[in-house]
Amino acid sequence: MTATLGYALFATRWLQAPLYVGLVAAQGVYVYKFFKELWNLILQCVTGQATETYVMLAVLKLVDVVMIANLLIMVIVGGYETFVSRIGLQGHRDQPEWLSHVNSNVLKVKLATAIVGISSVHLLQMFVDVHHTSRHALLWGTVIHMAFIASAAILAYMSGPMALRADRAHRERGDRHGHGEHGGGEDGPDGHGNGHEHAAASTPTASTTPIVPAPEIRHRVTSPPPVPIPAQTQPLPSTTYGTGAEARIRAAGFPSRKLLEEFDVDHPRSFDRETVARLGKLDFVAARRNVVFVGAPGTGKTHLAIGLGVRACQAGHRVLFATAAEWAARLSGARAEGRLAEELTALDDHAVLIVDEVGYLPFDADTAQLFFHLVAHRYERASLIVTSDRPLGRWDEIFGGGAAPAMTDRLAHHAEIVRLEGDSYRMRRATSSWAE
């Protein structure tokens, strides 16, 4: 009975939908008002009756109407997304930046700053037409404007601690969940419980082992040579991470910056656009789920993986990117130094790890076990994004020693698998250049 009542109350959120439709109608009214004011301004200018003050006031009225219309858009789109139902615009090239991580807290700050802007225009109108404005109106206009500024500053100040408390609570839930029975405690291919090995390393360490491409990567023939990673994008020690999105993006080690909005959705012959749009909301990061992009070289797997990584960085998550060969070199070096468990624990500081180009090079049994340890350690603890040229069922062709079934079982248990079918985007562009 209690559950039914709860669902019924939650369903009442749809009562707000007509309200947002009404705001859309109000938007139409402001469009009419804008063009009416613009027409009057043009007539006054053509007939020579428009003074400089009149033109300035008329333009400020137009600006005022536009700013109020912008405020309506934020309320309509942001409010509907937050309080009624998700719109699912992620991945659209015209998606507003703030909508990718919209919540009631962000919405309040956006609305407060918009109101301050509108109030500024109104106050400017009063000062431009100061000869026809009473001192009483000027005084109270200034006081009201300062009150708007103060309230916006207070909201912006409060949004920081509120976000920190939410993030701390999320981390505490993650810690409790990470020590549960599925926190990587199952036996590995060698029969040893790697979860106990990981638990022994209870103190996270900030590993500074650089990701070095494996020598064999020079002999890859199934894809073009990797773009050298600029020095400023190499993974940094945890002590050098900044708090801004740009610092997190630089520290992630992306070979280049790719955005989901820039992905050519018309290039692949087939892929699940709805799933990619849903992934763009980053719910999989909070749920500690994995993402696997499968497709032939040049179909856009790496672009989508980097796009999700960049968006995760913008949303406040730490991300680390490397190819499968680079991850193999990093984990092999940690094992050789006797600190594999510490290395895996240090990687827990990153909400998302991206493993690119799985399948282009085969791995021996020892390296396959290293990847198993990585996947098992992250299992139900944090997210992995993997790109591969072949489906999980064929990973035994990549990883020797029988580790593939246990690895793919954990990787796919909580995963979104997106297949991309089509020709190579790079080959298409090269063919087009040759044709020219």
Side-chain angles (χ1 to χ4, degrees):
M1 178 62 184
T2 303
T4 302
L5 179 61
Y7 280 115
L9 292 175
F10 184 64
T12 60
R13 73 190 191 280
W14 286 101
L15 292 175
Q16 293 193 42
L19 303 182
Y20 291 106
V21 174
L23 289 179
V24 172
Q27 183 92 336
V29 172
Y30 270 98
V31 171
Y32 168 77
K33 181 176 177 60
F34 177 89
F35 283 103
K36 182 180 178 181
E37 294 288 345
L38 179 62
W39 179 250
N40 289 336
L41 174 61
I42 293 174
L43 287 180
Q44 292 291 331
C45 292
V46 169
T47 57
Q49 301 177 10
T51 63
E52 183 178 353
T53 301
Y54 173 81
V55 172
M56 189 178 299
L57 288 173
V59 171
L60 286 175
K61 284 183 180 179
L62 296 177
V63 172
D64 188 27
V65 171
V66 172
M67 294 184 70
I68 294 177
N70 292 340
L71 178 63
L72 277 174
I73 285 292
M74 279 195 291
V75 173
I76 294 170
V77 178
Y80 188 90
E81 169 92 7
T82 303
F83 301 111
V84 181
S85 181
R86 290 176 178 172
I87 300 176
L89 293 178
Q90 279 70 16
H92 194 282
R93 67 186 63 186
D94 296 328
Q95 177 199 354
E97 181 273 335
W98 54 270
L99 191 58
S100 62
H101 48 269
V102 68
N103 54 53
S104 58
N105 202 32
V106 172
L107 189 59
K108 289 176 184 176
V109 176
K110 293 287 184 183
L111 294 179
T113 53
I115 290 173
V116 169
I118 294 171
S119 175
S120 301
V121 173
H122 277 278
L123 190 61
L124 181 58
Q125 285 179 302
M126 295 171 69
F127 277 102
V128 168
D129 198 24
V130 66
H131 298 295
H132 299 89
T133 307
S134 65
R135 296 180 59 185
H136 181 270
L138 286 174
L139 174 63
W140 281 107
T142 305
V143 170
I144 292 172
H145 179 65
M146 295 306 297
F148 283 143
I149 292 177
S151 62
I154 293 172
L155 275 175
Y157 174 78
M158 291 176 61
S159 66
M162 291 170 69
L164 287 176
R165 283 198 297 272
D167 183 64
R168 190 179 302 115
H170 172 73
R171 288 179 180 272
E172 289 175 355
R173 289 195 300 270
D175 292 340
R176 289 196 297 269
H177 186 82
H179 293 294
E181 60 177 344
H182 297 296
E186 299 182 30
D187 290 345
D190 55 358
H192 300 288
N194 65 319
H196 300 291
E197 175 190 1
H198 301 159
S202 57
T203 305
T205 59
S207 171
T208 59
T209 302
I211 295 179
V212 182
E216 294 85 356
I217 208 165
R218 293 193 302 269
H219 305 291
R220 181 189 307 149
V221 296
T222 56
S223 66
V227 179
I229 302 177
Q232 68 268 22
T233 63
Q234 293 287 351
L236 305 177
S238 61
T239 53
T240 63
Y241 276 97
T243 58
E246 286 300 318
R248 288 188 292 271
I249 291 172
R250 288 194 299 270
F254 300 121
S256 59
R257 182 176 300 202
K258 304 287 187 181
L259 302 179
L260 292 178
E261 295 82 358
E262 296 172 347
F263 183 72
D264 185 359
V265 296
D266 296 324
H267 170 63
R269 285 196 301 268
S270 174
F271 82 105
D272 193 339
R273 300 187 184 188
E274 292 184 1
T275 298
V276 173
R278 185 172 68 253
L279 291 173
K281 299 176 184 289
L282 302 179
D283 291 343
F284 74 95
V285 179
R288 302 174 182 84
R289 295 177 61 88
N290 302 320
V291 179
V292 181
F293 292 108
V294 180
T299 51
K301 305 182 300 296
T302 301
H303 186 137
L304 292 175
I306 294 176
L308 288 177
V310 169
R311 183 165 291 183
C313 290
Q314 293 171 339
H317 302 292
R318 291 176 64 180
V319 179
L320 197 57
F321 175 99
T323 65
E326 291 167 347
W327 280 114
R330 178 175 184 140
L331 296 176
S332 297
R335 182 178 59 184
E337 296 173 4
R339 53 175 187 80
L340 178 60
E342 289 83 356
E343 178 74 3
L344 293 173
T345 304
L347 291 173
D348 288 344
D349 290 339
H350 299 81
V352 179
L353 298 183
I354 301 178
V355 184
D356 193 29
E357 299 180 348
V358 174
Y360 294 121
L361 294 173
F363 295 105
D364 57 25
D366 289 340
T367 305
Q369 286 202 12
L370 290 175
F371 275 99
F372 171 82
H373 282 296
L374 177 64
V375 172
H377 184 82
R378 302 284 291 185
Y379 178 64
E380 294 188 338
R381 180 178 294 170
S383 297
L384 284 167
I385 299 177
V386 180
T387 72
S388 178
D389 67 339
R390 63 197 74 185
L392 299 182
R394 292 177 53 195
W395 274 24
D396 56 341
E397 303 171 5
I398 308 169
F399 298 99
M407 185 193 318
T408 56
D409 178 68
R410 288 162 175 79
L411 182 64
H413 182 210
H414 302 298
E416 294 279 2
I417 300 178
V418 180
R419 293 188 59 87
L420 294 97
E421 298 179 0
D423 301 323
S424 170
Y425 184 77
R426 291 181 287 271
M427 289 300 297
R428 187 186 72 175
R429 296 192 64 179
T431 304
S432 176
S433 299
W434 296 336
E436 294 175 357

